[in-house]
Amino acid sequence: MATAYHNGALASSSNGSILKGGKKSAASPSGWYGATTNALGASSWDEATRSKVASRLLVTLVVCGLLGSFLPVLVARPGGLASDSTALLSGDTPGQAAGSAHQHAATSTGAVGASERVSDGTQSLIGGPLKSCSTPAQRTQTGWTRDGSCAWDPSDSGYHEVCVKMDEKFLTSSAEKDGNDLSSVVGHGEHWCICAWAWAGAVQRDPEGYEGLTLQCDESNEMLREVYQSYITRAESMSGPTGASYGPLKALEAVDKLCPAA
């Protein structure tokens, strides 16, 4: 490396050229301009660059922070159970229960809003107090919250209000047609709170025998009628995990036939 003193300052270049006042000498005609140094020995050009970069980073962080704050507001949609948009219909195995295996999404706008409800969800289909659906001997307790009851819960958008005595025919059909395999949690002859759409599916596929299911009137929630009526009023079908559509009218008619309201 060549060095030279110019105006009392030491200048150097890696290719042996003499630096004069921060400018490359005639020996290096490429015109490279060196940076002057401040009292602290830091490059003034580097300081300016660092300042600009820091400012831009600060602006970027502020913008990202604002977007992060407003994004949930922009994408959120109102409604919950009363929403007239895509509602989440979970499978017959509730997502809130410990060890749950399935949770499915299906498109529907037939949700029951608070303003539409007539019942309080504490009674059975035939008017008496809602009884437990699960039997004490069952290996797994049923219900949206696994408390053994088909209790009404506003967060349960799958409407697990239908207590049935399970049959192998339905278990097989539900797994094949709806992708909803319940065999790991309930067996033939046990009681289970299935979704409103699942009962509608059994009725539609087997209008006479309901795929072997036996509807339990004392253990099914009175809110089931309002759920089906809500879909009927909106002229909408119900759908399961695979998107298969089922009519609520026939499902409601089967409910009224088997469990006449008091």
Side-chain angles (χ1 to χ4, degrees), residues 109-157:
T109 60
V112 181
S115 62
E116 299 175 86
R117 295 201 297 267
V118 175
S119 307
D120 60 6
T122 62
Q123 302 292 301
S124 71
L125 284 174
I126 55 177
L130 182 66
K131 296 181 179 180
S132 176
C133 181
S134 294
T135 60
Q138 283 190 208
R139 51 181 169 162
T140 305
Q141 293 296 293
T142 188
W144 174 242
T145 57
R146 286 291 196 269
D147 62 355
S149 172
C150 300
W152 172 257
D153 187 331
S155 67
D156 174 16
S157 51

Side-chain angles (χ1 to χ4, degrees), residues 36-226:
T36 59
T37 58
N38 58 21
L40 297 178
S43 168
S44 60
W45 182 85
D46 289 342
E47 286 184 351
T49 301
R50 285 196 297 270
S51 177
K52 290 180 180 179
V53 170
S55 298
R56 290 174 182 174
L57 285 175
L58 180 60
V59 171
T60 301
L61 290 173
V62 171
V63 172
C64 290
L66 291 174
L67 287 175
S69 298
F70 286 105
L71 188 59
V73 177
L74 294 174
V75 301
R77 59 175 183 265
L81 199 56
S83 173
D84 284 335
S85 57
T86 300
L88 179 67
L89 296 185
S90 69
D92 292 331
T93 303
Q96 291 183 349
S100 63
H102 304 283
Q103 195 170 39
H104 308 285
T107 302
S108 171
T109 60
V112 181
S115 62
E116 299 175 86
R117 295 201 297 267
V118 175
S119 307
D120 60 6
T122 62
Q123 302 292 301
S124 71
L125 284 174
I126 55 177
L130 182 66
K131 296 181 179 180
S132 176
C133 181
S134 294
T135 60
Q138 283 190 208
R139 51 181 169 162
T140 305
Q141 293 296 293
T142 188
W144 174 242
T145 57
R146 286 291 196 269
D147 62 355
S149 172
C150 300
W152 172 257
D153 187 331
S155 67
D156 174 16
S157 51
Y159 311 121
H160 295 74
E161 317 304 327
V162 195
C163 181
V164 298
K165 183 178 179 180
M166 191 56 66
D167 188 272
E168 190 63 38
K169 182 177 180 181
F170 173 80
L171 287 174
T172 301
S173 181
S174 179
E176 293 179 353
K177 306 296 185 181
D178 294 317
N180 191 35
D181 187 358
L182 301 176
S183 60
S184 63
V185 292
V186 63
H188 178 85
E190 293 183 322
H191 290 191
W192 199 255
C193 297
I194 64 173
C195 291
W197 62 260
W199 170 254
V203 172
Q204 183 167 305
R205 290 189 295 263
D206 184 5
E208 299 299 326
Y210 315 124
E211 295 186 324
L213 296 178
T214 303
L215 184 61
Q216 307 298 300
C217 300
D218 284 333
E219 302 162 12
S220 296
N221 201 296
E222 62 179 346
M223 282 297 297
L224 181 61
R225 286 191 172 92
E226 294 189 33

